[in-house]
Amino acid sequence: MINEEQTEVLLKGTSDVGKTQVLNIVIDLLQKISSIYEIQKKYDDSEDRLATFYFSDKTVCVCTAGDDSEIVKKYFKYFDKQNCDIAVCTAHVSDESKKEFDKNVKDMEIVEFRKRKDKNLDYSEQLIVARKMAAKIFNKVLNFCYDEI
């Protein structure tokens, strides 16, 4: 179980909507403003990363993996070990991974990420959508770390 003082932001969506892309952008943005951080590439041949950032008295963890409940269990253990203050992670909407969140987290902010109905976005349009979502999450993290700046 996650400690009661911890805040979680869950990016929830079906497969292939860009959850990993969004959180990788968040990781890149946090890396630019944090002087102390650790980034690990995880889960073999995937784009998934696990990152920890340190801001004055706050620790932020971001994990891009979340479609598999076993991975979710591992990163909750990692979050506990790091004693993070805010955890940002993903989960598949109809998967066992969401059930794992429900078991581990009492209160979390859920950000739903869906493809637009016209799914025929070109790459630049997809990138714009991903960057907008990443900016929202990045701002939530900054506000948390710096007490509503």
Side-chain angles (χ1 to χ4, degrees), residues 6 20 30 53 59 64 85-86 88 122 127 133 144:
Q6 190 175 58
T20 295
L30 289 170
F53 300 91
T59 302
T64 65
D85 298 292
I86 184 166
V88 182
D122 66 26
L127 192 56
M133 180 63 69
F144 177 82

Side-chain angles (χ1 to χ4, degrees), residues 19-21 23-24 27 39-51 62-68 71 75 90:
K19 298 182 303 290
T20 295
Q21 181 184 28
L23 292 190
N24 275 322
I27 288 170
I39 298 177
Q40 305 169 28
K41 188 149 174 105
K42 288 285 191 181
Y43 317 117
D44 299 328
D45 296 326
S46 73
E47 296 177 45
D48 289 314
R49 296 189 289 172
L50 180 61
V62 182
C63 184
T64 65
D67 285 346
D68 176 297
I71 291 172
Y75 67 67
T90 67

Side-chain angles (χ1 to χ4, degrees), residues 1 4 11 15 17 20 23 29 33 37 48 55 60 64 67-68 77 80 89 93-94 102 108 117 125:
M1 179 67 92
E4 305 229 354
L11 182 59
S15 294
V17 295
T20 295
L23 292 190
L29 290 169
I33 65 165
Y37 56 85
D48 289 314
F55 297 95
V60 177
T64 65
D67 285 346
D68 176 297
K77 286 181 185 173
D80 283 340
C89 41
V93 288
S94 59
D102 293 340
M108 78 179 95
K117 291 189 180 177
E125 291 170 317

Side-chain angles (χ1 to χ4, degrees), residues 16-126:
D16 299 322
V17 295
K19 298 182 303 290
T20 295
Q21 181 184 28
V22 167
L23 292 190
N24 275 322
I25 293 169
V26 171
I27 288 170
D28 293 342
L29 290 169
L30 289 170
Q31 187 176 355
K32 290 177 190 224
I33 65 165
S34 175
S35 58
I36 305 171
Y37 56 85
E38 303 167 33
I39 298 177
Q40 305 169 28
K41 188 149 174 105
K42 288 285 191 181
Y43 317 117
D44 299 328
D45 296 326
S46 73
E47 296 177 45
D48 289 314
R49 296 189 289 172
L50 180 61
T52 305
F53 300 91
Y54 305 93
F55 297 95
S56 59
D57 65 336
K58 303 280 195 264
T59 302
V60 177
C61 292
V62 182
C63 184
T64 65
D67 285 346
D68 176 297
S69 63
E70 288 305 310
I71 291 172
V72 172
K73 286 179 191 176
K74 287 178 185 174
Y75 67 67
F76 273 118
K77 286 181 185 173
Y78 179 83
F79 295 161
D80 283 340
K81 182 180 168 191
Q82 295 299 316
N83 198 26
C84 67
D85 298 292
I86 184 166
V88 182
C89 41
T90 67
H92 194 278
V93 288
S94 59
D95 192 74
E96 291 295 313
S97 63
K98 178 63 174 82
K99 292 178 187 169
E100 198 59 42
F101 279 95
D102 293 340
K103 282 195 294 190
N104 282 282
V105 179
K106 290 181 181 179
D107 239 355
M108 78 179 95
E109 180 168 351
I110 298 176
V111 178
E112 191 113 20
F113 192 51
R114 298 182 184 149
K115 277 191 179 174
R116 288 181 27 188
K117 291 189 180 177
D118 65 357
K119 295 187 186 180
N120 294 324
L121 298 174
D122 66 26
Y123 179 76
S124 63
E125 291 170 317
Q126 291 172 13

